[in-house]
Amino acid sequence: MKQEDRERLDQLFTFFREIDKEKFIGRQTYLSDAKRKENDAEHAWHMAIMTLLLSEYANEKIDVLRTISMLLIHDLVEIDAGDTYAYDEEGKKTQAERERKAADRIYGLLPKEQGKKLYDLWLEFEARQTPEAKFARVMDNIQPMMLNAATEGKAWEEHEVKLSQILGRNEHTADGSKLLWEYAYESFIEPNMEAGRICDDREDEQSS
């Protein structure tokens, strides 16, 4: 084997071993049996398959492989930065800086051209401007919503999540897929509101 090939492969497998740590990054969303919470790697795998099968519902035609690639790599930064819960307002204040530093280190482990490719995909996801990034955001929002509904709102109730918070997080979900947002609202959110697991605080918000 050529020395340059060995060095490149050594670098790649160093990265592969490093990202195994994503399996240890816990999220706040419970698995469908409600017995334990999912980790980042499980979340990424689930979204990748969802994208493969739901891409036809994107508002605009998307490059499916690019979207799946984005979803598989965008949370790798949480190996260093940790998972920031969707409704943790204090944590979100430092999230961008923590994740940028993590992206510099983690994607920097790769050969230069591959590291730049993944870094650019991560930036694209964060910017939420391309059809692929918009649809990836749909998956990132709807996958945990689906599991929250499957567990009868367990995590929503634990964190006392209100409807205004859910709507705020999903302010741009319809930008990627109007139909999937409509489906998610009717199938996952409304039944849990009716069951009293999500507090409808919209009137309180309007009167304050």
Side-chain angles (χ1 to χ4, degrees), residues 9-111:
L9 287 169
D10 281 345
Q11 196 170 0
L12 285 164
F13 277 91
T14 295
F15 176 79
F16 299 150
R17 284 188 292 272
E18 182 68 13
I19 66 171
D20 185 68
K21 295 176 182 177
E22 189 182 34
K23 299 172 186 174
F24 306 126
I25 306 301
R27 292 170 50 79
Q28 293 301 313
T29 307
Y30 283 92
L31 299 180
S32 57
D33 65 359
K35 292 182 179 178
R36 72 167 175 87
K37 296 175 181 177
E38 70 175 354
N39 62 52
D40 268 358
E42 292 167 329
H43 173 58
W45 160 84
H46 214 170
M47 291 187 297
I49 293 181
M50 289 172 64
T51 299
L52 189 64
L53 300 175
L54 293 173
S55 59
E56 64 188 276
Y57 298 109
N59 290 345
E60 306 171 74
K61 185 175 177 58
I62 62 170
D63 181 328
V64 174
L65 179 58
R66 185 174 187 83
T67 308
I68 289 175
S69 299
M70 203 178 295
L71 288 167
L72 288 174
I73 64 93
H74 84 277
D75 274 341
L76 293 179
V77 294
E78 294 185 358
I79 291 170
D80 287 358
D83 175 63
T84 303
Y85 183 48
Y87 306 113
D88 178 3
E89 298 306 320
E90 195 62 32
K92 285 194 280 189
K93 292 177 182 178
T94 62
Q95 182 179 5
E97 179 62 18
R98 285 184 285 114
E99 292 188 350
R100 185 195 63 76
K101 289 180 180 179
D104 288 342
R105 184 189 77 81
I106 294 167
Y107 301 132
L109 295 173
L110 287 163

Side-chain angles (χ1 to χ4, degrees), residues 28-34 37 85 87 144-162 166 187-199:
Q28 293 301 313
T29 307
Y30 283 92
L31 299 180
S32 57
D33 65 359
K37 296 175 181 177
Y85 183 48
Y87 306 113
M145 194 187 303
M146 172 188 68
L147 290 180
N148 274 316
T151 57
E152 299 184 336
K154 186 172 182 177
W156 282 331
E157 287 193 305
E158 283 185 355
H159 293 278
E160 299 180 348
V161 175
K162 298 176 174 59
I166 297 173
S187 301
F188 305 144
I189 297 174
E190 284 187 338
N192 280 281
M193 287 172 54
E194 293 168 4
R197 301 177 191 122
I198 299 171
C199 173

